[in-house]
Amino acid sequence: MTDQPPAYSGPTRVLSGVQPSGALHLGNYLGALVKFARLQHEMDTFIFVADMHAITVWQDPAKLADQTREIAAAYLASGLDPAKATIFPQSAVTAHAELAWVFNCVARLGWLDRMTQFKEKSGKHKERSSVGLYTYPVLQAADILAYKATHVPVGEDQKQHLELTRDIAAKFNHDFEAPGFFPLPEPLTQGPGARVMSLRDGSAKMSKSDPSDYSRINLTDDADAISQKIRKAKTDPEPLPDNLEALAARPEADNLVGIYAALSNVTKEAALAEFAGKGFGTFKPALADLAVSVLGPVGEQMRGFLADPAEIDRILAKGAAKARETAAPTLEDVMKLVGFWRA
Ligand code: AQP
């Protein structure tokens, strides 16, 4: 006998999103976009543009809609197919905000106080941060659970937020006596691109908000910019080792080998086997050629999609309609479980 509540028994579904808060970089591409395109062939897939998350820090209203189209273009250029995956803007589906409110009342302050991303993003000016930045992971739980998604492809930086989603789902199921109502979603973080680090500092993650453009490779960088950034990436004078243990002690080298492995779809061991004993004078040009050959066509396709914004809008509107339809019955059930008035 076990006292575990019954597990969720509904269908599997993938959900994830990216914020339209700046140019996408290699970390977003390897940690998220590539996985989305792969998973659409395996499960029912919902991918949104996280514009409600983006406004947790200031966004220029005159630019936000275009930034949303840019993320949609990046999705399409990375291989997401609107005939397979549902692609939509978060703010076009009110269920996210409605469910987030209920979850704000389920999540505990102590849980949110532990979120390291809030601490990093609010920095020294916590009291001047938006309340939205603080409750961001609660909205994230609503994004996922409005669709009863079971699998969430994200970079490793998002693992803690996924844990919070699981805690919220379990507490909701318990408090409202609805065992198995929400799934406890699994993060899909595996793979060599799960944590791409800054090209200037192997201990900081590659990020849109890093003030140095040399810290990241943007999806829209041309071949010259990509090569130059890799040439200038911080390294050390030693040749590459022949084992992962020795590599792990050298964060910048480890990062570049990880990027090489992820872009060529091999393991880090295999990448090391190719370059062990060789210096960065040999490795960096090989990495630059590889990065240009993979990212060049992505940037080109993005520009192609962006040349037809009306088509992007059609895809987003169609996706939003499907997303609304999918989330509606779950929201209705939540309203009833909570005990809200219904005519
Ligand atoms: N460096 C990274 N390595 C691997 N995956 C990453 N992701 C972000 N950075 C890396 C993954 O990309 C997805 C979308 O991220 P987001 O835009 O929604 O938010 P973020 O994690 O805040 O991205 P940034 O680039 O770091 O933005 P800023 O600088 O604004 O904080 C997520 O799946 C994330 O894991």
Side-chain angles (χ1 to χ4, degrees):
M1 276 284 284
T2 161
D3 54 6
Q4 286 291 314
Y8 176 73
S9 59
T12 55
R13 180 172 283 153
V14 166
L15 179 130
S16 196
V18 173
Q19 299 181 67
S21 54
L24 288 186
H25 53 72
L26 183 64
N28 300 131
Y29 179 71
L30 293 173
L33 271 55
V34 173
K35 291 181 191 161
F36 302 167
R38 185 168 31 87
L39 285 161
Q40 70 182 336
H41 302 291
E42 296 169 23
M43 282 182 230
D44 188 20
T45 297
F46 284 68
I47 303 294
F48 65 100
V49 183
D51 51 359
M52 290 165 68
H53 285 286
I55 64 161
T56 56
V57 296
W58 174 252
Q59 302 295 329
D60 183 346
K63 294 189 184 148
L64 187 56
D66 277 340
Q67 288 167 202
T68 296
R69 292 186 187 99
E70 267 173 44
I71 300 295
Y75 288 161
L76 298 169
S78 311
L80 266 188
D81 174 0
K84 279 195 186 302
T86 304
I87 305 170
F88 62 100
Q90 183 184 26
S91 62
V93 186
T94 54
H96 294 244
E98 292 171 296
L99 188 56
W101 179 255
V102 174
F103 286 170
N104 270 326
C105 302
V106 172
R108 305 290 92 181
L109 270 180
W111 300 356
L112 285 178
D113 281 344
R114 286 196 286 277
M115 296 296 115
T116 53
Q117 194 180 78
F118 175 74
K119 288 178 195 155
E120 281 158 19
K121 291 201 172 181
S122 60
K124 292 190 197 101
H125 306 292
K126 190 174 155 210
E127 59 295 330
R128 277 196 267 145
S129 298
S130 72
V131 175
L133 190 66
Y134 187 71
T135 60
Y136 178 122
V138 177
L139 177 59
Q140 199 171 344
D143 301 332
I144 298 164
L145 295 171
Y147 304 91
K148 297 194 173 177
T150 52
H151 294 81
V152 185
V154 280
E156 264 180 18
D157 57 320
Q158 290 292 335
K159 251 179 148 170
Q160 193 187 32
H161 288 172
L162 252 292
E163 274 304 317
L164 188 96
T165 294
R166 291 167 62 89
D167 290 342
I168 290 174
K171 185 162 162 56
F172 181 96
N173 291 352
H174 174 267
D175 289 359
F176 295 101
E177 296 177 7
F181 178 75
F182 281 125
L184 307 189
E186 297 288 340
L188 299 175
T189 53
Q190 309 87 333
R195 191 160 170 78
V196 178
M197 308 309 279
S198 157
L199 299 180
R200 311 299 294 167
D201 174 359
S203 66
K205 78 161 188 155
M206 187 176 283
S207 154
K208 291 176 205 139
S209 49
D210 191 315
S212 166
D213 196 49
Y214 276 92
S215 68
R216 64 184 158 260
I217 295 172
N218 301 307
L219 286 193
T220 46
D221 282 345
D222 62 19
D224 283 351
I226 295 174
S227 302
Q228 204 188 17
K229 285 176 178 181
I230 291 176
R231 206 169 47 244
K232 285 183 180 277
K234 188 177 166 198
T235 42
D236 55 51
E238 301 299 314
L240 284 166
D242 61 5
N243 65 83
L244 288 181
E245 222 180 350
L247 186 66
R250 295 162 59 189
E252 282 83 16
D254 191 18
N255 186 36
L256 294 187
V257 171
I259 292 173
Y260 186 93
L263 286 173
S264 51
N265 209 11
V266 299
T267 60
K268 278 211 263 188
E269 287 93 328
L272 271 190
E274 202 181 333
F275 290 99
K278 298 194 174 124
F280 286 98
T282 305
F283 179 67
K284 278 185 171 178
L287 177 59
D289 286 349
L290 175 65
V292 168
S293 74
V294 175
L295 298 181
V298 176
E300 206 169 298
Q301 286 203 46
M302 253 182 93
R303 284 184 284 279
F305 286 117
L306 283 169
D308 187 359
E311 175 58 11
I312 295 180
D313 288 350
R314 272 191 292 277
I315 291 169
L316 291 176
K318 201 169 163 210
K322 163 108 184 278
R324 274 186 221 114
E325 198 181 290
T326 309
T330 302
L331 259 288
E332 198 46 40
D333 287 345
V334 166
M335 301 300 167
K336 285 185 194 142
L337 284 166
V338 169
F340 284 150
W341 173 87
R342 284 314 195 232

